[in-house]
């Protein structure tokens, strides 16, 4: 049976660091679903779920075994329904670890057959996060090295729209 991995996240918006993890996961599994989910600790957000999905689709269109979905519910529930064998998450700095570890244990409790795999980030992306992209962009900084080129202008446009409101 074809192996399926899920790369979950809030992706508000997807960064080149996320893309690196997705690309490396796609080499290890037959299929990868990049799953946009809501993180209850992060309220609001700059982009809607469908915009986030669209950004990831445009940024991964060159990787044939990657699909992109949104799920308004539990990650574990979705992973079981789809028959996934693994949840793959990128780990950057040590401070990521505590929360990621709790999430992995919760998901294991909810879906004992699904393994969480932590993939170590490339050193180039250790500092990078969606919040950092929004912060640098909001102050007019150059985000070219932080986000896929296909979506850079959409981010700049949204920041401008929000500023003009
Ligand atoms: O990119 P993020 O914000 O670190 O991703 C966190 C995310 C969205 C994967 C996590 O909050 C999540 O799994 N949300 C869906 C709800 C859920 O399954 N919660 C239980 C596991 S903590």
């Amino acid at each position: 049976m074809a192996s399926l991995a899920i790369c979950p996240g809030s992706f508000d918006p997807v960064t080149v660091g996320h893309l690196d993890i997705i690309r490396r996961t796609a080499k290890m599994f037959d299929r990868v679903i990049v799953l946009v989910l809501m993180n209850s600790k992060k309220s609001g957000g700059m982009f809607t779920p469908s915009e986030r999905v669209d950004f990831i689709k445009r940024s991964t269109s060159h990787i044939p075994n990657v699909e992109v979905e949104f799920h308004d519910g539990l990650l574990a529930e979705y992973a079981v329904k789809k028959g996934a064998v693994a949840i793959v998450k990128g780990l950057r700095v040590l401070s990521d670890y505590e929360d990621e570890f709790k999430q992995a244990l919760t998901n294991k409790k909810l879906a004992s057959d699904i393994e969480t795999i932590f993939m170590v980030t490339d050193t180039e992306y250790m500092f990078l996060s969606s919040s950092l992209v929004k912060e640098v962009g909001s102050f007019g900084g150059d985000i070219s090295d932080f986000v896929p080129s296909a979506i850079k202008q959409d981010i700049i446009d949204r920041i401008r729209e929000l500023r003009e409101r």
Side-chain angles (χ1 to χ4, degrees):
M1 203 178 81
S3 60
L4 169 67
I6 311 261
C7 284
S10 40
F11 302 111
D12 185 40
V14 67
T15 69
V16 288
H18 292 130
L19 211 55
D20 181 56
I21 299 290
I22 295 165
R23 186 184 53 76
R24 289 158 61 196
T25 304
K27 282 194 198 164
M28 298 172 62
F29 294 88
D30 298 315
R31 281 175 68 209
V32 174
I33 298 180
V34 182
L35 189 64
V36 177
L37 293 146
M38 299 326 285
N39 182 339
S40 56
K41 294 191 193 111
K42 298 176 182 169
S43 60
M46 188 172 270
F47 299 98
T48 65
S50 57
E51 286 171 328
R52 299 179 201 188
V53 167
D54 173 58
F55 287 177
I56 304 167
K57 280 188 176 165
R58 280 156 50 195
S59 311
T60 58
S61 57
H62 59 291
I63 318 175
N65 57 337
V66 169
E67 300 151 52
V68 191
E69 302 281 349
F70 168 66
H71 179 62
D72 188 11
L74 287 172
L75 166 58
E77 170 193 273
Y78 180 95
V80 169
K81 193 176 77 189
K82 290 286 177 173
V85 292
I87 293 167
V88 179
K89 293 213 80 181
L91 263 194
R92 292 164 303 186
V93 283
L94 194 61
S95 53
D96 278 351
Y97 188 73
E98 194 176 343
D99 192 44
E100 291 295 347
F101 192 62
K102 282 187 209 156
Q103 288 182 47
L105 290 177
T106 308
N107 289 328
K108 191 75 180 165
K109 194 79 187 162
L110 296 172
S112 58
D113 286 343
I114 299 174
E115 299 298 338
T116 293
I117 298 174
F118 292 125
M119 189 176 279
V120 176
T121 185
D122 189 295
T123 46
E124 206 181 325
Y125 308 123
M126 266 177 82
F127 66 97
L128 187 53
S129 66
S130 303
S131 334
L132 184 126
V133 167
K134 289 180 276 193
E135 174 152 351
V136 172
S138 302
F139 288 106
D142 184 7
I143 56 168
S144 307
D145 288 344
F146 303 159
V147 295
S149 53
I151 66 163
K152 180 183 142 188
Q153 197 54 46
D154 298 80
I155 298 168
I156 293 170
D157 291 347
R158 177 59 47 86
I159 289 169
R160 189 175 303 128
E161 274 167 38
L162 292 173
R163 200 179 296 135
E164 285 167 3
R165 256 187 212 168

